[in-house]
Protein backbone atom coordinates (compact mmCIF):
# COMPACT_ATOMS: atom_id res chain seq x y z
CA UNK A 1 0.00 0.00 0.00
CA UNK A 2 1.33 3.46 -0.89
CA UNK A 3 0.93 6.15 1.77
CA UNK A 4 1.27 9.78 0.75
CA UNK A 5 1.95 12.16 3.59
CA UNK A 6 0.31 15.55 3.23
CA UNK A 7 1.97 18.38 5.20
CA UNK A 8 -0.13 18.79 8.34
CA UNK A 9 -0.09 22.55 7.85
CA UNK A 10 -1.74 22.28 4.44
CA UNK A 11 -5.28 23.50 4.43
CA UNK A 12 -8.02 20.91 4.14
CA UNK A 13 -8.94 22.33 0.75
CA UNK A 14 -5.34 22.08 -0.53
CA UNK A 15 -4.96 18.57 0.82
CA UNK A 16 -8.24 17.51 -0.72
CA UNK A 17 -7.04 18.90 -4.04
CA UNK A 18 -3.87 16.80 -3.77
CA UNK A 19 -6.04 13.77 -3.00
CA UNK A 20 -8.10 14.34 -6.10
CA UNK A 21 -4.99 14.79 -8.25
CA UNK A 22 -3.67 11.43 -7.04
CA UNK A 23 -7.03 9.76 -7.48
CA UNK A 24 -6.91 8.72 -3.83
CA UNK A 25 -9.40 8.66 -1.01
CA UNK A 26 -8.57 11.27 1.62
CA UNK A 27 -8.42 10.36 5.29
CA UNK A 28 -9.95 13.28 7.21
CA UNK A 29 -9.38 13.50 10.95
CA UNK A 30 -11.90 14.63 13.58
CA UNK A 31 -10.50 18.17 13.56
CA UNK A 32 -11.22 18.30 9.83
CA UNK A 33 -7.54 18.07 8.82
CA UNK A 34 -6.32 15.83 6.04
CA UNK A 35 -3.09 14.32 7.36
CA UNK A 36 -2.49 11.31 5.15
CA UNK A 37 -3.76 9.62 2.01
CA UNK A 38 -3.65 5.93 1.35
CA UNK A 39 -3.86 4.57 -2.17
CA UNK A 40 -4.28 0.92 -2.81
CA UNK A 41 -2.27 -1.03 -5.39
CA UNK A 42 -4.01 -1.21 -8.75
CA UNK A 43 -4.75 -4.73 -9.93
CA UNK A 44 -6.09 -5.65 -13.35
CA UNK A 45 -8.05 -8.92 -13.30
CA UNK A 46 -8.36 -10.62 -16.69
CA UNK A 47 -10.97 -13.35 -16.56
CA UNK A 48 -10.94 -16.30 -18.96
CA UNK A 49 -13.32 -18.81 -17.34
CA UNK A 50 -12.52 -22.23 -15.86
CA UNK A 51 -13.88 -24.03 -12.82
CA UNK A 52 -13.33 -20.91 -10.70
CA UNK A 53 -16.20 -19.50 -12.81
CA UNK A 54 -18.06 -22.81 -12.79
CA UNK A 55 -21.69 -22.84 -11.72
CA UNK A 56 -24.16 -25.55 -10.80
CA UNK A 57 -27.58 -25.44 -9.22
CA UNK A 58 -26.78 -28.15 -6.63
CA UNK A 59 -23.91 -27.98 -4.12
CA UNK A 60 -21.86 -30.85 -5.53
CA UNK A 61 -18.91 -30.31 -7.84
CA UNK A 62 -20.19 -32.89 -10.30
CA UNK A 63 -21.73 -31.84 -13.60
CA UNK A 64 -20.94 -28.12 -13.50
CA UNK A 65 -20.23 -25.82 -16.43
CA UNK A 66 -16.85 -24.10 -16.43
CA UNK A 67 -17.24 -20.43 -17.28
CA UNK A 68 -20.76 -19.75 -15.92
CA UNK A 69 -19.83 -16.76 -13.71
CA UNK A 70 -18.08 -13.59 -14.89
CA UNK A 71 -14.82 -12.28 -13.48
CA UNK A 72 -16.67 -9.18 -12.23
CA UNK A 73 -19.01 -11.38 -10.18
CA UNK A 74 -16.07 -13.36 -8.78
CA UNK A 75 -14.46 -10.16 -7.52
CA UNK A 76 -17.74 -8.68 -6.22
CA UNK A 77 -18.37 -11.87 -4.23
CA UNK A 78 -15.26 -11.17 -2.12
CA UNK A 79 -15.95 -7.81 -0.39
CA UNK A 80 -12.65 -8.09 1.56
CA UNK A 81 -10.79 -7.41 -1.70
CA UNK A 82 -11.81 -3.75 -1.49
CA UNK A 83 -9.30 -3.34 1.37
CA UNK A 84 -6.53 -5.04 -0.58
CA UNK A 85 -6.52 -3.36 -3.96
CA UNK A 86 -8.22 -1.12 -6.45
CA UNK A 87 -9.46 -3.69 -8.92
CA UNK A 88 -10.49 -3.45 -12.57
CA UNK A 89 -11.93 -6.55 -14.17
CA UNK A 90 -12.03 -7.41 -17.86
CA UNK A 91 -13.48 -10.51 -19.44
CA UNK A 92 -11.09 -11.87 -22.06
CA UNK A 93 -12.99 -15.15 -22.58
CA UNK A 94 -15.31 -17.38 -20.57
CA UNK A 95 -14.36 -20.93 -21.46
CA UNK A 96 -13.20 -24.18 -19.97
CA UNK A 97 -9.42 -24.15 -20.35
CA UNK A 98 -9.47 -27.34 -22.42
CA UNK A 99 -10.62 -24.93 -25.16
CA UNK A 100 -7.84 -22.40 -24.57
CA UNK A 101 -6.08 -21.65 -27.85
CA UNK A 102 -3.41 -19.55 -29.56
CA UNK A 103 -5.84 -16.78 -30.53
CA UNK A 104 -6.88 -16.19 -26.90
CA UNK A 105 -3.25 -16.38 -25.76
CA UNK A 106 -2.38 -13.59 -28.19
CA UNK A 107 -5.38 -11.49 -27.06
CA UNK A 108 -4.39 -11.98 -23.44
CA UNK A 109 -0.71 -11.23 -24.05
CA UNK A 110 -1.47 -8.09 -26.10
CA UNK A 111 -3.81 -6.77 -23.38
CA UNK A 112 -1.11 -7.38 -20.75
CA UNK A 113 1.55 -5.67 -22.88
CA UNK A 114 -0.76 -2.67 -23.32
CA UNK A 115 -1.57 -2.48 -19.59
CA UNK A 116 2.13 -2.67 -18.73
CA UNK A 117 3.15 -0.12 -21.38
CA UNK A 118 0.60 2.43 -20.10
CA UNK A 119 1.19 1.61 -16.43
CA UNK A 120 -2.49 0.82 -15.99
CA UNK A 121 -1.87 -1.55 -13.08
CA UNK A 122 0.70 -2.55 -10.48
CA UNK A 123 -0.06 -6.22 -10.98
CA UNK A 124 -2.14 -8.48 -13.18
CA UNK A 125 -4.23 -11.49 -12.13
CA UNK A 126 -5.66 -13.92 -14.66
CA UNK A 127 -8.48 -16.26 -13.69
CA UNK A 128 -8.17 -19.47 -15.71
CA UNK A 129 -9.18 -23.11 -15.79
CA UNK A 130 -6.61 -25.34 -14.13
CA UNK A 131 -6.39 -27.93 -16.92
CA UNK A 132 -4.14 -25.85 -19.17
CA UNK A 133 -3.21 -23.08 -16.72
CA UNK A 134 0.46 -24.08 -16.73
CA UNK A 135 0.56 -23.74 -20.53
CA UNK A 136 -0.89 -20.22 -20.57
CA UNK A 137 1.45 -19.28 -17.70
CA UNK A 138 4.48 -20.61 -19.58
CA UNK A 139 3.42 -18.93 -22.85
CA UNK A 140 3.05 -15.54 -21.14
CA UNK A 141 6.29 -15.99 -19.21
CA UNK A 142 8.16 -16.57 -22.47
CA UNK A 143 6.79 -13.56 -24.37
CA UNK A 144 6.05 -10.82 -21.81
CA UNK A 145 8.82 -8.59 -20.49
CA UNK A 146 7.91 -6.76 -17.29
CA UNK A 147 8.90 -6.63 -13.65
CA UNK A 148 5.23 -6.38 -12.67
CA UNK A 149 3.72 -9.52 -11.17
CA UNK A 150 1.51 -11.55 -13.51
CA UNK A 151 -0.40 -14.23 -11.66
CA UNK A 152 -2.74 -16.99 -12.80
CA UNK A 153 -5.23 -18.55 -10.44
CA UNK A 154 -8.24 -20.81 -10.62
CA UNK A 155 -10.11 -23.41 -8.65
CA UNK A 156 -10.55 -27.12 -8.43
CA UNK A 157 -14.14 -26.79 -7.21
CA UNK A 158 -16.82 -24.67 -8.89
CA UNK A 159 -17.97 -21.46 -7.30
CA UNK A 160 -21.24 -23.05 -6.13
CA UNK A 161 -19.68 -26.16 -4.50
CA UNK A 162 -19.39 -26.66 -0.74
CA UNK A 163 -15.76 -25.89 0.04
CA UNK A 164 -15.23 -23.87 -3.14
CA UNK A 165 -11.54 -22.99 -3.26
CA UNK A 166 -11.88 -20.20 -5.83
CA UNK A 167 -12.53 -17.25 -3.48
CA UNK A 168 -9.48 -18.00 -1.31
CA UNK A 169 -7.31 -18.56 -4.39
CA UNK A 170 -8.48 -15.31 -6.02
CA UNK A 171 -8.00 -13.37 -2.78
CA UNK A 172 -4.47 -14.73 -2.37
CA UNK A 173 -3.58 -14.18 -6.02
CA UNK A 174 -4.57 -10.51 -5.70
CA UNK A 175 -2.75 -10.31 -2.37
CA UNK A 176 0.45 -11.55 -4.04
CA UNK A 177 0.02 -9.34 -7.12
CA UNK A 178 -0.46 -6.32 -4.83
CA UNK A 179 2.68 -7.08 -2.80
CA UNK A 180 5.89 -5.24 -3.82
CA UNK A 181 7.87 -8.42 -3.05
CA UNK A 182 6.19 -10.09 -6.05
CA UNK A 183 8.03 -7.87 -8.55
CA UNK A 184 10.63 -9.52 -10.80
CA UNK A 185 9.31 -13.04 -10.41
CA UNK A 186 7.90 -13.41 -13.92
CA UNK A 187 4.60 -15.17 -14.42
CA UNK A 188 3.35 -17.18 -11.43
CA UNK A 189 0.53 -19.49 -10.45
CA UNK A 190 -1.05 -18.93 -7.03
CA UNK A 191 -3.23 -21.81 -5.83
CA UNK A 192 -3.82 -23.42 -2.44
CA UNK A 193 -1.61 -20.98 -0.44
CA UNK A 194 1.36 -21.70 -2.70
CA UNK A 195 3.25 -19.59 -5.26
CA UNK A 196 4.67 -21.42 -8.28
CA UNK A 197 6.90 -20.14 -11.10
CA UNK A 198 5.48 -20.69 -14.59
CA UNK A 199 8.46 -22.77 -15.70
CA UNK A 200 8.04 -25.40 -13.00
CA UNK A 201 4.30 -25.44 -12.25
CA UNK A 202 2.28 -28.44 -13.30
CA UNK A 203 -1.19 -29.81 -12.59
CA UNK A 204 -0.51 -33.21 -11.05
CA UNK A 205 -3.87 -34.44 -9.75
CA UNK A 206 -7.29 -34.67 -11.41
CA UNK A 207 -9.31 -33.30 -8.47
CA UNK A 208 -7.20 -32.38 -5.40
CA UNK A 209 -6.92 -28.72 -4.37
CA UNK A 210 -3.17 -29.20 -3.95
CA UNK A 211 -2.93 -30.28 -7.59
CA UNK A 212 -0.27 -27.72 -8.60
CA UNK A 213 3.30 -28.71 -7.87
CA UNK A 214 6.58 -27.24 -9.04
CA UNK A 215 8.23 -30.24 -10.59
CA UNK A 216 12.04 -30.53 -10.11
CA UNK A 217 12.11 -27.23 -8.19
CA UNK A 218 9.49 -26.72 -5.48
CA UNK A 219 7.35 -23.61 -4.96
CA UNK A 220 8.95 -20.17 -5.04
CA UNK A 221 6.79 -18.89 -2.18
CA UNK A 222 3.80 -19.16 0.10
CA UNK A 223 0.82 -16.94 0.87
CA UNK A 224 -1.88 -16.81 3.51
CA UNK A 225 -4.38 -14.03 4.20
CA UNK A 226 -1.82 -12.25 6.39
CA UNK A 227 1.51 -12.74 4.64
CA UNK A 228 3.35 -13.24 1.36
CA UNK A 229 6.70 -15.04 1.55
CA UNK A 230 9.10 -15.69 -1.30
CA UNK A 231 11.76 -18.38 -1.03
CA UNK A 232 13.34 -17.47 -4.36
CA UNK A 233 14.52 -13.82 -4.25
CA UNK A 234 13.63 -13.27 -7.93
CA UNK A 235 13.26 -14.98 -11.24
CA UNK A 236 16.40 -16.31 -12.87
CA UNK A 237 17.12 -14.29 -16.00
CA UNK A 238 16.04 -16.19 -19.10
CA UNK A 239 15.77 -14.96 -22.66
CA UNK A 240 12.26 -14.01 -23.68
CA UNK A 241 11.05 -13.99 -27.24
CA UNK A 242 8.84 -11.72 -29.30
CA UNK A 243 5.10 -12.17 -29.10
CA UNK A 244 4.00 -13.84 -32.34
CA UNK A 245 1.64 -11.51 -34.20
CA UNK A 246 -0.88 -13.97 -35.59
CA UNK A 247 -2.58 -17.21 -34.64
CA UNK A 248 -2.37 -20.09 -35.21
CA UNK A 249 1.17 -20.58 -34.01
CA UNK A 250 3.37 -22.96 -36.06
CA UNK A 251 2.07 -26.52 -36.00
CA UNK A 252 3.90 -28.58 -33.38
CA UNK A 253 2.41 -31.86 -32.18
CA UNK A 254 3.10 -34.04 -29.15
CA UNK A 255 3.55 -37.80 -29.63
CA UNK A 256 3.06 -40.00 -26.57
CA UNK A 257 5.47 -42.96 -26.62
CA UNK A 258 4.46 -46.42 -25.41
CA UNK A 259 5.65 -49.99 -25.61
CA UNK A 260 5.32 -51.42 -29.09
CA UNK A 261 5.30 -47.93 -30.66
CA UNK A 262 5.42 -48.10 -34.45
CA UNK A 263 6.41 -45.64 -37.17
CA UNK A 264 3.08 -45.09 -38.91
CA UNK A 265 1.78 -42.33 -36.61
CA UNK A 266 5.02 -40.39 -37.15
CA UNK A 267 4.94 -40.88 -40.92
CA UNK A 268 1.31 -39.69 -40.97
CA UNK A 269 2.21 -36.64 -38.94
CA UNK A 270 5.04 -35.68 -41.31
CA UNK A 271 2.53 -35.75 -44.20
CA UNK A 272 0.38 -33.10 -42.43
CA UNK A 273 3.23 -30.57 -42.84
CA UNK A 274 3.93 -30.33 -39.11
CA UNK A 275 6.87 -28.04 -38.26
CA UNK A 276 7.87 -29.77 -35.05
CA UNK A 277 7.31 -32.98 -33.11
CA UNK A 278 7.65 -33.25 -29.34
CA UNK A 279 8.28 -36.82 -28.28
CA UNK A 280 6.73 -37.46 -24.85
CA UNK A 281 9.16 -40.31 -24.59
CA UNK A 282 9.38 -43.21 -22.19
CA UNK A 283 11.92 -42.74 -19.38
CA UNK A 284 14.73 -40.45 -20.51
CA UNK A 285 12.82 -39.33 -23.63
CA UNK A 286 13.18 -42.61 -25.47
CA UNK A 287 11.04 -44.71 -27.82
CA UNK A 288 11.21 -47.90 -29.89
CA UNK A 289 13.81 -48.38 -32.64
CA UNK A 290 11.04 -48.04 -35.26
CA UNK A 291 9.78 -44.76 -33.82
CA UNK A 292 13.33 -43.37 -33.50
CA UNK A 293 14.09 -44.25 -37.13
CA UNK A 294 10.88 -42.48 -38.22
CA UNK A 295 11.79 -39.42 -36.12
CA UNK A 296 15.21 -39.38 -37.76
CA UNK A 297 13.45 -39.37 -41.13
CA UNK A 298 11.25 -36.49 -39.92
CA UNK A 299 14.37 -34.43 -39.13
CA UNK A 300 15.76 -35.13 -42.61
CA UNK A 301 12.53 -33.69 -44.02
CA UNK A 302 12.92 -30.46 -42.03
CA UNK A 303 10.79 -31.26 -38.97
CA UNK A 304 12.31 -30.22 -35.64
CA UNK A 305 12.20 -33.11 -33.18
CA UNK A 306 12.42 -32.46 -29.43
CA UNK A 307 12.77 -35.36 -27.01
CA UNK A 308 11.00 -34.89 -23.68
CA UNK A 309 9.66 -37.37 -21.16
CA UNK A 310 6.25 -38.72 -20.24
CA UNK A 311 7.46 -39.50 -16.67
CA UNK A 312 6.46 -36.10 -15.25
CA UNK A 313 9.72 -35.21 -13.56
CA UNK A 314 13.48 -35.24 -14.07
CA UNK A 315 15.56 -34.01 -16.99
CA UNK A 316 16.09 -35.31 -20.50
CA UNK A 317 19.78 -34.81 -21.21
CA UNK A 318 21.60 -34.91 -24.54
CA UNK A 319 23.42 -37.97 -25.82
CA UNK A 320 22.75 -40.30 -22.89
CA UNK A 321 20.68 -43.20 -24.22
CA UNK A 322 20.05 -41.58 -27.61
CA UNK A 323 22.71 -40.07 -29.89
CA UNK A 324 21.17 -36.61 -30.30
CA UNK A 325 24.19 -35.21 -32.14
CA UNK A 326 23.96 -37.90 -34.81
CA UNK A 327 20.17 -37.67 -35.14
CA UNK A 328 19.97 -33.86 -34.96
CA UNK A 329 17.46 -34.12 -32.13
CA UNK A 330 16.86 -31.40 -29.53
CA UNK A 331 16.24 -32.33 -25.87
CA UNK A 332 13.78 -30.55 -23.58
CA UNK A 333 15.79 -30.87 -20.31
CA UNK A 334 13.20 -30.09 -17.59
CA UNK A 335 10.36 -28.91 -19.82
CA UNK A 336 7.28 -31.11 -19.93
CA UNK A 337 6.02 -32.09 -23.38
CA UNK A 338 3.24 -29.47 -23.21
CA UNK A 339 5.69 -26.67 -22.33
CA UNK A 340 8.29 -27.92 -24.83
CA UNK A 341 5.61 -27.62 -27.52
CA UNK A 342 4.91 -23.98 -26.64
CA UNK A 343 8.59 -23.02 -26.54
CA UNK A 344 9.22 -24.62 -29.93
CA UNK A 345 6.17 -22.85 -31.41
CA UNK A 346 7.41 -19.49 -30.12
CA UNK A 347 10.95 -20.15 -31.39
CA UNK A 348 9.77 -21.10 -34.87
CA UNK A 349 7.41 -18.09 -34.94
CA UNK A 350 10.45 -15.92 -34.10
CA UNK A 351 12.37 -17.37 -37.06
CA UNK A 352 14.70 -19.51 -34.93
CA UNK A 353 15.30 -22.63 -36.97
CA UNK A 354 18.97 -23.37 -36.16
CA UNK A 355 19.12 -26.47 -33.96
CA UNK A 356 21.89 -25.07 -31.74
CA UNK A 357 19.82 -21.91 -31.05
CA UNK A 358 16.75 -24.01 -30.29
CA UNK A 359 18.75 -26.27 -27.96
CA UNK A 360 20.17 -23.20 -26.12
CA UNK A 361 16.66 -21.82 -25.61
CA UNK A 362 15.61 -25.08 -24.00
CA UNK A 363 18.68 -25.04 -21.79
CA UNK A 364 18.00 -21.55 -20.42
CA UNK A 365 16.00 -21.17 -17.26
CA UNK A 366 17.51 -23.57 -14.76
C1 LIG B 1 -10.83 -25.97 -16.82
O1 LIG B 1 -9.61 -26.15 -16.89
O2 LIG B 1 -11.39 -25.03 -17.36
C2 LIG B 1 -11.67 -26.95 -16.06
C3 LIG B 1 -11.02 -27.50 -14.87
C4 LIG B 1 -10.60 -26.48 -13.85
O3 LIG B 1 -10.66 -25.27 -14.02
O4 LIG B 1 -10.20 -26.94 -12.77
Amino acid sequence: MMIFKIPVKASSAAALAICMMMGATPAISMNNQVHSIQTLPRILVLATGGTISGKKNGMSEIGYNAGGVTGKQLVEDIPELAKLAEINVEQIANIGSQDMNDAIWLRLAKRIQEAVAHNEADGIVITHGTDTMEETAFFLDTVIRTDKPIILTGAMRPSTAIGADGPANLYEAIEVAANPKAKDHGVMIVMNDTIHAARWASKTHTTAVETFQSINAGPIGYVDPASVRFIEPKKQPVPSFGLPTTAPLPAVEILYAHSGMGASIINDLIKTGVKGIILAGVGDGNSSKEAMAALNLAVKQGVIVVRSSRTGSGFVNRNVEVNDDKNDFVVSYDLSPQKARILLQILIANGKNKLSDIQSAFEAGF
Side-chain angles (χ1 to χ4, degrees):
M1 181 185 296
M2 287 179 288
I3 300 178
F4 297 95
K5 296 275 182 207
I6 303 288
V8 281
K9 282 188 185 149
S11 72
S12 295
L16 279 167
I18 297 171
C19 290
M20 287 172 74
M21 263 165 46
M22 318 234 34
T25 309
I28 305 176
S29 66
M30 292 295 284
N31 62 5
N32 211 25
Q33 280 209 322
V34 181
H35 48 87
S36 70
I37 308 170
Q38 296 182 339
T39 61
L40 294 171
R42 301 157 306 149
I43 302 299
L44 176 62
V45 173
L46 301 175
T48 70
T51 293
I52 190 167
S53 295
K55 198 173 173 184
K56 188 186 185 297
N57 289 335
M59 298 302 275
S60 130
E61 60 210 69
I62 300 164
Y64 65 92
N65 290 321
V69 178
T70 64
K72 190 164 173 286
Q73 283 169 274
L74 291 179
V75 169
E76 281 171 1
D77 283 350
I78 314 173
E80 295 80 1
L81 283 174
K83 292 187 203 131
L84 211 54
E86 188 188 301
I87 300 169
N88 276 318
V89 187
E90 290 174 24
Q91 198 76 40
I92 297 289
N94 211 352
I95 55 166
S97 76
Q98 63 277 5
D99 290 321
M100 186 51 70
N101 58 46
D102 304 353
I104 302 176
W105 278 350
L106 295 188
R107 208 186 307 153
L108 197 52
K110 282 178 188 159
R111 181 64 191 103
I112 295 170
Q113 280 183 333
E114 183 188 49
V116 166
H118 297 110
N119 189 22
E120 289 177 44
D122 301 306
I124 291 160
V125 170
I126 301 157
T127 58
H128 197 291
T130 58
D131 287 351
T132 61
M133 185 184 287
E134 71 208 61
E135 294 178 48
T136 301
F138 182 75
F139 175 78
L140 295 175
D141 200 41
T142 311
V143 294
I144 304 272
R145 296 177 183 86
T146 179
D147 63 351
K148 291 184 195 274
I150 300 172
I151 294 174
L152 285 90
T153 194
M156 292 302 288
R157 299 171 184 155
S159 66
T160 45
I162 295 173
D165 53 334
N169 286 340
L170 182 54
Y171 182 91
E172 290 185 347
I174 291 174
E175 185 188 356
V176 176
N179 193 303
K181 282 191 249 173
K183 275 182 135 187
D184 267 326
H185 280 92
V187 178
M188 294 165 266
I189 287 179
V190 171
M191 293 275 295
N192 197 41
D193 302 342
T194 313
I195 310 170
H196 300 276
R199 183 167 186 110
W200 314 103
S202 200
K203 183 172 182 175
T204 64
H205 194 285
T206 51
T207 55
V209 292
E210 67 275 24
T211 185
F212 278 92
Q213 304 292 327
S214 284
I215 307 292
N216 293 324
I220 57 166
Y222 296 93
V223 51
D224 58 49
S227 66
V228 175
R229 291 194 175 83
F230 279 93
I231 296 165
E232 292 288 335
K234 65 184 183 99
K235 187 185 177 198
Q236 296 167 36
V238 289
S240 61
F241 299 96
L243 176 66
T245 46
T246 50
L249 297 176
V252 176
E253 296 295 340
I254 298 172
L255 274 183
Y256 199 91
H258 51 82
S259 47
M261 188 174 185
S264 59
I265 192 166
I266 299 166
N267 294 331
D268 288 349
L269 205 49
I270 298 169
K271 284 188 208 135
T272 68
V274 75
K275 300 280 180 256
I277 295 175
I278 309 296
L279 176 69
V282 296
D284 187 21
N286 219 332
S287 72
S288 66
K289 286 191 188 62
E290 291 87 341
M292 281 300 181
L295 288 172
N296 181 276
L297 205 66
V299 172
K300 291 201 166 74
Q301 296 185 33
V303 179
I304 297 162
V305 172
V306 179
R307 293 192 305 112
S308 66
S309 175
R310 68 176 202 180
T311 60
S313 61
F315 296 75
V316 175
N317 294 303
R318 285 190 71 80
N319 302 316
V320 180
E321 288 179 65
V322 175
N323 191 332
D324 295 296
D325 289 348
K326 191 164 155 232
N327 284 290
D328 281 333
F329 291 156
V330 173
V331 297
S332 73
Y333 296 104
D334 61 319
L335 284 187
S336 62
Q338 58 272 29
K339 289 183 186 170
R341 172 177 174 268
I342 294 166
L343 181 55
L344 186 56
Q345 288 182 300
I346 293 170
L347 289 167
I348 298 172
N350 276 276
K352 301 244 177 266
N353 295 306
K354 220 170 126 198
L355 292 181
S356 55
D357 290 345
I358 292 172
Q359 187 62 85
S360 305
F362 273 89
E363 194 159 357
F366 62 88

